[in-house]
Amino acid sequence: MQSRLLPGLSLNVSPETVRSVRTIATRAAIAMAAVPLLAAAALTVTDKVRRRMHPLTSRFPTEKPLTEQVGDTETTVYTFGADLYAAMLEAVRGAQHTVMLETYIWKDDAVGQEFKQALIDAAARGVKVYIIYDGFANLVVPYSFFRFPRHLTQASPKTLHVLRFPALRPGLLMLDIRRSGRDHRKILVVDDEIGFVGGYNLGSLYATQWRDTHLRLQGPAVWELRNAFVDFWNRHRRPELPVLHDIGSTDWLPHLKAARNAPSELVFPIRGIYLDAIDRAVSHVYITQAYFIPDHDILAALLTAARRGVDVRVVMPERSNHVVADWLARGFYATLLRGGVRIFLYEGAMIHAKTAVIDGRWTTVGTANIDRLSLTGNYEVNLEIVDPALAGRMEDVFRMDMSNARELTIAEWERRSRIAQIGEALIAPLRPLL
């Protein structure tokens, strides 16, 4: 083989040399890809040991259910799982026509069994019950738990219908989160009159040991949640499952709307409502997030707001249930703190809420985290509400959570160990996946 780069210079390269170079390059690429995965594995193992020694079981402040009227719809904020589950079960047990339940995680424990029995009882008395659950999120739950009595699911008339969102999706092997994301939504709609949405999954752990936020609606705005459920059901149902009818709505509620991410349709409004609201802020932005890994635009919007004098605060777990997400979030701390954003780390317990309140007017409560997986990969739903009274309630909740959090300063952060900095750099390539 002759080189054409330098006239008169010949370069003889054997096929064996070419193959060797290719092999070395391939192995180097594999090694580079393996490094962040190995670092994540090491963090996970270390965190499991730490959890045994120091479990996240501390008591934390909660607030009694808070109710405000938004137009013709009554809204109630729940900050304690036991209170929420009591209200949800009361609604299911009082159902007369339909129950629509969609959940990400549904544990086979005391709380999970109580919900299962309440749904069976509703279907047995003739209520039409429709259930959606995510297959991947419940791989550790015995498959038998999701079996329901045959006389309700197979006999005629069928009153209980179950849709399992598949555990394996076509984009998984190609790491395409749009085609491999999960059904991360948590919705309950009863008789088209009562609806619930928020961060709570179903399980005993979440009843008392996790701080989360859910919202109950009663009134015409429940259509927003019903419509979200119906559209998802009809798109993903198997042929043997019935089509649910879209009843439409005569009420237009621009001050209370559901934003629904549907990645297979390239619809991602939740990210848009965050960006629009942050850009409008003139006083304060209060964000509570379980996993805070902002993309470039959201990060830029928060920093821009802080530069113009907006009080930007983020509450997130000091330790969450996903240590890799924690370490990926750490990679943004220096930029946020230097840019004037205040970070508060929730102590002793897991905070799982996905909420924000801006300028005492705008509120969102829902299922989406501020990370790439939620904002561009998963099916999610967030309510967007413009109402000063509800925003005031949510600011009270935010201040309550700050009372159980410590503020992280830039001085403290810059004193972290060199090993911690190396760890953050090693797992940074995983950001596109989360």
Side-chain angles (χ1 to χ4, degrees):
M1 182 184 297
Q2 289 190 337
S3 170
R4 298 184 181 180
L5 298 177
L6 297 174
L9 177 64
S10 296
L11 181 62
N12 294 319
V13 180
S14 68
E16 291 79 9
T17 301
V18 173
R19 285 195 293 270
S20 178
V21 170
R22 287 176 177 170
T23 300
I24 292 172
T26 300
R27 289 176 178 174
I30 293 173
M32 290 178 63
V35 166
L37 295 176
L38 291 173
L43 285 173
T44 302
V45 171
T46 303
D47 188 63
K48 284 186 177 180
V49 174
R50 184 184 184 188
R51 285 179 185 281
R52 292 192 184 99
M53 299 175 62
H54 305 287
L56 292 170
T57 55
S58 298
R59 294 177 64 87
F60 50 87
T62 61
E63 180 62 89
K64 64 181 180 180
L66 308 169
T67 299
E68 292 291 344
Q69 197 75 21
V70 179
D72 293 330
T73 297
E74 182 182 88
T75 65
T76 304
V77 180
Y78 290 88
T79 62
F80 190 55
D83 293 336
L84 170 70
Y85 294 155
M88 293 174 71
L89 288 166
E90 180 183 15
V92 172
R93 289 164 179 156
Q96 299 181 23
H97 308 294
T98 58
V99 173
M100 301 175 181
L101 173 68
E102 183 174 359
T103 189
Y104 180 59
I105 295 173
W106 190 351
K107 296 290 190 182
D108 180 10
D109 56 21
V111 166
Q113 289 285 355
E114 190 172 10
F115 270 89
K116 181 178 179 179
Q117 190 60 53
L119 294 166
I120 291 172
D121 293 344
R125 64 176 184 267
V127 174
K128 296 290 186 181
V129 176
Y130 305 91
I131 298 170
I132 304 172
Y133 71 95
D134 187 88
F136 182 83
N138 293 284
L139 284 175
V140 298
V141 178
Y143 195 76
S144 59
F145 175 72
F146 295 103
R147 294 195 189 105
F148 292 83
R150 292 174 61 89
H151 71 281
L152 301 176
T153 60
Q154 297 183 24
S156 182
K158 300 176 184 179
T159 55
L160 196 151
H161 308 274
V162 181
L163 191 163
R164 179 179 184 268
F165 193 67
L168 299 178
R169 301 189 61 220
L172 185 62
L173 295 178
M174 297 176 288
L175 300 180
D176 179 356
I177 64 170
R178 184 176 67 82
R179 299 175 63 232
S180 63
R182 312 312 315 162
D183 177 20
H184 193 242
R185 310 190 316 174
K186 300 94 177 173
I187 294 173
L188 174 65
V189 177
V190 176
D191 290 342
D192 298 344
E193 296 176 356
I194 300 173
F196 297 83
V197 69
Y200 277 101
N201 293 292
L202 300 180
S204 300
L205 172 70
Y206 318 120
T208 57
Q209 295 186 39
W210 282 29
R211 232 305 283 139
D212 212 331
T213 301
H214 231 72
L215 196 64
R216 177 185 184 271
L217 306 179
Q218 183 167 7
V222 173
W223 177 86
E224 298 281 339
L225 300 179
R226 181 195 191 277
N227 193 48
F229 185 97
V230 167
D231 285 351
F232 186 93
W233 177 278
N234 287 340
R235 180 169 181 83
H236 298 284
R237 70 180 182 86
R238 301 183 304 277
E240 67 270 19
L241 293 173
V243 174
L244 294 179
H245 298 295
D246 186 352
I247 61 175
S249 175
T250 59
D251 292 285
W252 291 75
L253 303 169
H255 51 287
L256 197 167
K257 297 183 294 184
R260 300 176 289 159
N261 280 6
S264 60
E265 290 89 53
L266 295 176
V267 175
F268 310 108
I270 297 175
R271 181 175 180 272
I273 67 171
Y274 266 109
L275 287 170
D276 180 69
I278 294 168
D279 285 348
R280 292 176 184 271
V282 295
S283 173
H284 54 271
V285 173
Y286 297 158
I287 294 173
T288 306
Q289 281 288 307
Y291 318 110
F292 185 68
I293 311 171
D295 62 26
H296 177 271
D297 290 339
I298 291 179
L299 179 64
L302 292 171
L303 295 174
T304 299
R307 280 197 298 271
R308 66 174 180 266
V310 175
D311 179 11
V312 182
R313 307 184 187 193
V314 181
V315 170
M316 65 184 84
E318 184 159 37
R319 291 168 51 205
S320 81
N321 63 319
H322 291 302
V323 66
V324 175
D326 293 346
W327 277 71
L328 289 173
R330 289 161 63 104
F332 294 95
Y333 286 1
T335 300
L336 290 164
L337 292 169
R338 289 170 186 155
V341 175
R342 299 175 67 184
I343 296 174
F344 295 83
L345 301 177
Y346 200 78
E347 297 185 292
M350 173 61 186
I351 187 165
H352 191 249
K354 300 94 167 56
T355 64
V357 58
I358 295 178
D359 285 357
R361 299 176 62 191
W362 181 92
T363 299
T364 187
V365 178
T367 69
N369 302 300
I370 297 182
D371 59 25
R372 186 166 183 252
L373 189 59
S374 271
L375 297 184
T376 61
N378 289 340
Y379 290 86
E380 306 277 6
V381 57
N382 269 45
L383 290 180
E384 180 185 27
I385 306 165
V386 181
D387 182 81
L390 181 61
R393 291 289 192 184
M394 291 301 296
E395 289 185 353
D396 290 341
V397 171
F398 187 84
R399 283 187 284 269
M400 175 190 75
D401 289 334
M402 282 204 307
S403 74
N404 195 60
R406 67 178 187 87
E407 184 168 6
L408 178 68
T409 65
I410 186 63
E412 176 190 347
W413 184 242
E414 290 179 342
R415 289 195 303 268
R416 73 194 187 282
S417 69
R418 184 63 178 168
I419 293 176
Q421 296 178 48
I422 293 172
E424 294 158 19
L426 288 178
I427 69 165
L430 298 180
R431 284 180 190 169
L433 302 180
L434 296 176

